[in-house]
Amino acid sequence: MNNINSAEEFLELISSDNPTDRMRAGTESASLLVWFNVIDKYPEFKVWVARNRTVPKEVIDLLCVDSDPMIRHAISTKYPLDIELYSKLAKDKDESIRSSLAYNRGLPLSLLKEMAKSDPSDFVKKSASEMYKKRTHEK
């Protein structure tokens, strides 16, 4: 498997008309330096960094607290995440992120149950409750 060697290469892959290039942008790894360069130099592409399947924990930790809800939403769909990140996202101020997290199959059942009982949003409570019931009845 290839690696992405620079922020500019990552941007070329994302911007390409070739579906294979765009797939590479989402599946190939890069060094921490490359990821941090993309985030620093090209913040409008952070969501694409967040969607990359190989992005390391240090980058996920940074993006999990990003001010842009689109970035946090992209992180909320990833799994597995550390329990600390699941807990942080379960308390996110943005209802859509908490709702998305309820559908994350990696979310521990204990957090999903807590969201179903005590989330401030009825919408999130309903989503979490439905997913909790579904996941506990699948076993």
Side-chain angles (χ1 to χ4, degrees), residues 95 98-103 107 111-135:
E95 174 184 80
R98 297 191 315 273
S99 177
S100 172
L101 186 66
Y103 292 94
L107 181 67
L111 279 174
L112 187 57
K113 184 177 182 180
E114 181 61 31
M115 290 171 70
K117 289 193 325 190
S118 64
D119 194 273
S121 161
D122 289 338
F123 176 72
V124 174
K125 280 183 189 175
K126 183 177 184 218
S127 299
S129 179
E130 288 172 1
M131 287 309 298
Y132 183 79
K133 288 175 187 170
K134 181 179 179 191
R135 286 179 57 192

Side-chain angles (χ1 to χ4, degrees), residues 3-4 10 40-41 44 50 59-60 65 71 75 85 91 96 98 100 103 117 119 128-129 132 136 139:
N3 284 330
I4 299 167
F10 181 71
D40 291 338
K41 292 180 180 178
E44 66 275 19
V59 176
I60 291 172
V65 296
I71 308 301
I75 297 298
L85 293 180
K91 303 286 186 213
S96 69
R98 297 191 315 273
S100 172
Y103 292 94
K117 289 193 325 190
D119 194 273
S129 179
Y132 183 79
T136 55
K139 295 181 179 186

Side-chain angles (χ1 to χ4, degrees), residues 14-28:
I14 288 294
S15 304
S16 174
D17 290 333
N18 183 334
T20 302
D21 287 344
R22 287 194 307 276
M23 182 178 289
R24 284 184 57 209
T27 59
E28 289 186 9

Side-chain angles (χ1 to χ4, degrees), residues 1-3 27-29 54:
M1 179 180 252
N2 296 330
N3 284 330
T27 59
E28 289 186 9
S29 61
T54 69

Side-chain angles (χ1 to χ4, degrees), residues 19-101:
T20 302
D21 287 344
R22 287 194 307 276
M23 182 178 289
R24 284 184 57 209
T27 59
E28 289 186 9
S29 61
S31 69
L32 278 175
L33 179 62
V34 168
W35 293 129
F36 288 134
N37 279 340
V38 174
I39 291 167
D40 291 338
K41 292 180 180 178
Y42 310 102
E44 66 275 19
F45 287 91
K46 286 189 284 189
V47 72
W48 295 105
V49 173
R51 291 178 179 157
N52 179 284
R53 293 181 190 159
T54 69
V55 70
K57 180 181 178 347
E58 295 88 344
V59 176
I60 291 172
D61 289 347
L62 175 66
L63 296 177
C64 184
V65 296
D66 195 89
S67 62
D68 184 342
M70 273 185 48
I71 308 301
R72 298 191 315 276
H73 183 274
I75 297 298
S76 76
T77 64
K78 295 177 98 51
Y79 65 89
L81 294 172
D82 291 349
I83 187 69
E84 295 84 21
L85 293 180
Y86 283 125
S87 296
K88 187 179 292 190
L89 290 166
K91 303 286 186 213
D92 196 280
K93 63 185 174 191
D94 190 301
E95 174 184 80
S96 69
I97 292 165
R98 297 191 315 273
S99 177
S100 172
L101 186 66

